Amino acid sequence: MKGIIIILAILLLGELISWLTGGFIPGNIFGMVIMFLALQTKLIKEESVSSACNALTNNMTLMFLPAGIGLMAAYDIIAENWLSITLNITVTTLMVMAVVGWIVDSNKKKEGKQ
């Protein structure tokens, strides 16, 4: 129970920061950054949120239901624009793969020099 309260409190803090900054960046993004920093700096102990995190990740499929239902509700729009959607997905996926590959390659070269 303590872990869920911590996670929800950080999510609420992230939403507050998002609201105060005009909502340009979603609150859950701020919340994830805050949680990451709190865990890295040991402000929050991993043990205090691990059971809640495990419960959430074990039920991850439930988190995708609203998005899937939203896709089904927008079927007509998707059907009309399937080519541009497919091209966008393909191009951006290739770009991400190239950038990640470049970063991994750069890091491996740096490790070899040290």
Side-chain angles (χ1 to χ4, degrees):
M1 186 66 158
K2 178 182 175 184
I4 292 290
I5 292 170
I6 292 170
I7 291 170
L8 290 176
I10 289 177
L11 176 61
L12 180 63
L13 180 60
E15 291 292 339
L16 178 65
I17 293 170
S18 176
W19 179 73
L20 290 173
T21 59
F24 180 71
I25 299 174
N28 56 347
I29 302 297
F30 280 119
M32 284 190 290
V33 170
I34 293 167
M35 178 65 85
F36 174 77
L37 293 173
L39 287 168
Q40 289 298 312
T41 59
K42 308 287 189 218
L43 289 174
I44 296 175
K45 294 190 185 333
E46 182 182 340
E47 301 82 36
S48 61
V49 293
S50 64
S51 63
C53 291
N54 288 335
L56 289 172
T57 54
N58 288 339
N59 296 296
M60 186 68 76
T61 54
L62 294 175
M63 309 303 173
F64 290 100
L65 281 176
I69 293 168
L71 285 173
M72 291 188 318
Y75 178 77
D76 294 338
I77 297 169
I78 294 169
E80 290 174 14
N81 301 298
W82 71 270
L83 181 61
S84 63
I85 292 170
T86 303
L87 286 173
N88 274 313
I89 290 170
T90 303
V91 169
T92 55
T93 299
L94 292 173
M95 289 172 60
V96 167
M97 289 171 63
V99 169
V100 169
W102 177 77
I103 291 171
V104 169
D105 190 47
S106 297
N107 285 340
K108 288 203 180 250
K109 287 179 183 175
K110 285 180 186 176
E111 286 176 4
K113 289 180 182 178
Q114 296 177 357

